Amino acid sequence: MAPVNDTLAVRRDIRSVELEITGTCQLRCTHCCTDSGPQTPSGSMTLNDWQRIIAEIAEIGIPAVQLIGGEPTLNLSLPRLVEEALGHGLEVEVYSNLAHVRPSLWETFSRDGVRLATSYYSDDPVQHEQITQGRGSHARTRANIGVALSRRIPLRVGIVEVLNGQRSGQAEAELRALGVEQIHIDRTRRVGRAAADAHTAPSIDELCGRCFRQRVAISSEGEVYGCILSRFLPAGNVKERGLAAILDSGRWAVGGNPCAHPGPTRRVYP
């Protein structure tokens, strides 16, 4: 068990918890850090489980949650989870591929305190869809970026450089012309599917250094990690013990975990 002052410092540093509310995704991006896809199970965490976790996050004093996947819009309980988080005074970000948005979800995304985030890879549909492995995904994501902007929903976009010769600069220029202000470009991190395709073992060298410090992630099976990219470093399961108990464990002590000290690179995706 870490000293009390260390555990309190860890809790104060955490700014957001990534909640992987489903493992399923309609796309199969070649670099996906969670190895999600159409055949990936949605996960064993129930609506009640997520509601309990959201309440505990608020009780701990962490100010925000990010609802991710897989593809979070495939979880039909997404509006209820957004409502739950807002009701506990939390800020909410939904990280969606925006490949398909049910009309009713736009009202949820337009709530005060809710932000959207998405990924966009190229101004060239062929390149974008080579990465997402989803026919028509470029046009649908681009159109829904436009809908979000027209509704004045706060939006940030991540561009991950996956291909040689990828038109990431042109994608950024296109997004700025559309009116997107918050854009970040990052390299592929060799975790999840990207590590499998490269036949490499996941390594902390692929992380930014903020894992176990500013971010926490909870998978669709309840596993707790330092962030969505550090799934190979599980620290516990919220179905077996409370989130606070996991955060207070020695694995999260500032000096004792492998990601405690900032690295030279920055992570912006998801």
Side-chain angles (χ1 to χ4, degrees), residues 15-224:
R15 306 309 303 159
S16 180
V17 181
E18 300 164 325
L19 305 180
E20 184 187 339
I21 63 173
T22 179
T24 309
C25 184
Q26 68 271 65
L27 304 179
R28 196 177 186 278
C29 295
T30 57
H31 64 293
C32 180
C33 62
T34 65
D35 203 13
S36 297
Q39 306 306 317
T40 306
S42 59
S44 59
M45 289 284 285
T46 67
L47 173 60
N48 287 339
D49 288 331
W50 288 122
Q51 289 174 321
R52 173 177 56 82
I53 290 303
I54 288 170
E56 188 173 8
I57 289 168
E59 182 179 354
I60 290 171
I62 299 170
V65 293
Q66 184 188 61
L67 303 178
I68 60 174
E71 171 49 39
T73 61
L74 296 181
N75 187 325
L76 298 181
S77 296
L78 175 60
R80 293 186 63 180
L81 294 174
V82 170
E83 183 71 28
E84 188 83 15
L86 293 176
H88 283 284
L90 300 175
E91 300 174 15
V92 178
E93 181 177 83
V94 179
Y95 203 114
S96 167
N97 58 37
L98 295 183
H100 177 71
V101 179
R102 300 188 303 278
S104 60
L105 282 177
W106 287 115
E107 296 305 315
T108 296
F109 296 158
S110 299
R111 295 283 305 275
D112 289 341
V114 178
R115 299 177 54 88
L116 272 177
T118 193
S119 298
Y120 193 72
Y121 301 103
S122 176
D123 65 330
D124 177 0
V126 174
Q127 275 195 347
H128 181 94
E129 292 168 19
Q130 183 180 349
I131 294 169
T132 65
Q133 301 290 292
R135 181 178 300 178
S137 60
H138 179 270
R140 294 194 300 271
T141 296
R142 189 183 188 283
N144 283 324
I145 287 173
V147 174
L149 293 170
S150 70
R151 286 177 167 265
R152 300 185 182 278
I153 299 171
L155 173 70
R156 69 182 181 93
V157 180
I159 301 173
V160 181
E161 295 182 331
V162 182
L163 305 173
N164 291 329
Q166 184 176 328
R167 292 172 58 87
S168 53
Q170 292 87 340
E172 180 180 9
E174 181 183 28
L175 291 167
R176 294 202 184 280
L178 289 172
V180 180
E181 297 180 354
Q182 191 174 357
I183 303 169
H184 300 282
I185 299 177
D186 194 24
R187 65 175 176 87
T188 298
R189 304 290 173 164
R190 298 295 179 188
V191 296
R193 187 172 295 133
D197 289 347
H199 304 290
T200 59
S203 166
I204 62 172
D205 293 335
E206 295 299 313
L207 308 177
C208 75
R210 293 195 292 272
C211 303
F212 297 89
R213 298 174 69 247
Q214 297 175 359
R215 303 296 292 269
V216 177
I218 302 175
S219 80
S220 58
E221 298 294 341
E223 293 289 334
V224 180

Side-chain angles (χ1 to χ4, degrees), residues 219-235:
S219 80
S220 58
E221 298 294 341
E223 293 289 334
V224 180
Y225 313 101
C227 75
I228 197 66
L229 293 174
S230 61
R231 298 163 70 83
F232 55 96
L233 296 171

Side-chain angles (χ1 to χ4, degrees), residues 3-19:
V4 172
N5 60 334
D6 282 350
T7 59
L8 292 178
V10 168
R11 291 192 192 185
R12 283 196 300 268
D13 284 345
I14 297 171
R15 306 309 303 159
S16 180
V17 181
E18 300 164 325
L19 305 180

